[in-house]
Structures are given as C-alpha cells and as structure tokens.
Amino acid sequence: MGLAAVHAVASAAPDRVQFPSLDAPAGEAVALSAWWFRAEAPAGAGPAPAPAVVLLHGCGGMLDRKGKPSMRIREYAALLNQQGWHALAVDSLSARGEKELCTQRIGSRKITQVHRRRDTLAALQWLATQAGVDADRLALLGWSHGGSAVLAAGNLEHPEVAGSPVKPRLAVAFYPGCANEARHGFRPVADTLLLVGLADDWTPAAPCQALAGARAGHAVRVEAYEGAFHGFDGRAPLVLRRDVPNGVHPGQGVHVGGHPVAREQSRQALLLALQQAFSR
C-alpha cells in the first residue's frame, strides 16, 4: 500500500464519546471524554474491521479555545482516516479540572504519567469493543507529554501494562520525554518509533536515542531531525516560550516551532511504520 493511497474518506465530524479511565481515585473511575474520528469505508468495500489509533495530546491539552479538538489532532485524525484507519483522541485534562500543564513545574503537576498511562490503557480497551475496529491492529500516537504517555503505556516494566488484556501493535511518540525510561528501564510492549528534534531544548533527543535498539523482542527506532525543535511537526513559527519552567535550561524558557522538512519526513515515517505494523 503506497503512502499516497487513500482508502477511506475522513468523517465529516467526530463523535464525542465517554468511557471510564482505569484511574479510580477513591474507588470512582474518572470519566474521560474523547473524540471518535471514524474512518468511513470506501464505496463498495466490505464490512471488514479496520485498524485504530489512540491519539494522546501534549501538555497544552487537546482542546482549542472553542472546546474542539486542536488543529494538530484534527490534522492527524484526517491523515489516519485517509488511510482507512480510525482515530480516538483522548482528553486527559478536562475531567481532572486542568486546561494545560506546560507552565507547571513537573514535580508539582497533579496529572502525571500514571494518570496518562491508565487513560491510555482504558482507551485501548474501549477501542477493542467497538464495531468496525480490528482489536488486533491498534496503535498509540502521542506528542510531547502525550508522547511520554505512549512510553508509559507501552512499557512492560509497569504491571498495569503487562496485565492489560489489550495491547497495541505499534507505539509512536513525537518528541517525548524519555529520561525516565532511559534511567529506570524500558521493555516495550510493541515496536516503538520515536520522532525527535536534535535541537529540542524542552525534551532533548539524547535520552530517546539511548533507548534505540532491540529490546525484549521489539525494536525501538529513533528518527532524529537536524535543526528541529520541539513541535517541529507543526506549522507555527519558532518562538521562545519563557512561561515554561521545565526543559534543558530550567527558567530560561524553551523553543517551540515548526520545521517543514522534519514535519514532512516525520509524517512519512509515521505512515510507513503504521502501514508495516497493520499489514502484519
């Protein structure tokens, strides 16, 4: 299947759905909201179930100022739908009363990767029950804090991941924070692709590069882009965000902005990895 092939028409509008997280403080599960971008089967196609991808937002949250999925989420959902794959974008912040995490120091955040991991595992389980979804062909895709969530939910060192009844076939993370896995160990649940910028001063590339190689029967592959900063797959111009207290140089801000070459190459790498994973 070529990269330019279109096997479905993107849904006109996503459906808002809810399902319980595996996170249940005080015994009551957090009710997550998500947006379900269903890929419509092409004319004349049979009812064969299709692959599905969980989309995990970054620290800025999933919603725009109008309360709709962000431009990045919509663009990637459309890209996936065009290939005939469903997409489920999960909002981990709103149900917990947060709008963004970027300006919060990592040690003081109320939403951690434990929460994100439990949300992600719940999303996989929800997808596996949906009509028209091939439960054996699921994948994870996240950005920044959501990329770190991909690693947290794709690390068999966590008992919750090892014990999950539904496991992805592929995990893809754009510019995640990899320091925790590089320091404490990473045993991937599936083949993993990390897309990083070599100029990133928010979540640096080096810890992710340290994860590369064959691990526990699965490959961890890193694609690193010269001159690319955090958010390189976007279209916004490069800016210095002084409101972000974290990063390589705490207190000095971080650079965020698009890189046209890295954006195009990383999307091609993403599609190719998904096509290879879903064709097995």
Side-chain angles (χ1 to χ4, degrees), residues 225-245:
Y225 303 102
E226 192 73 40
F229 289 87
H230 204 81
F232 60 76
D233 62 321
R235 302 180 187 277
L238 186 67
V239 297
L240 174 62
R241 286 197 56 177
R242 297 187 181 277
D243 61 334
V244 175

Side-chain angles (χ1 to χ4, degrees), residues 93-99 111:
L93 271 58
S94 297
R96 298 183 173 95
E98 296 281 5
K99 292 185 177 180
I111 298 177

Side-chain angles (χ1 to χ4, degrees), residues 112-159:
T112 69
Q113 289 302 332
V114 173
H115 303 104
R116 300 297 306 268
R117 177 172 66 244
R118 292 171 178 171
D119 294 353
T120 304
L121 296 178
L124 287 171
Q125 293 180 29
W126 184 87
L127 277 175
T129 68
Q130 300 307 300
V133 172
D134 185 344
D136 292 326
R137 292 189 294 166
L138 304 178
L140 302 177
L141 171 58
W143 297 264
S144 192
H145 196 268
S148 299
V150 167
L151 297 179
N155 189 354
L156 289 169
E157 294 294 333
H158 296 297

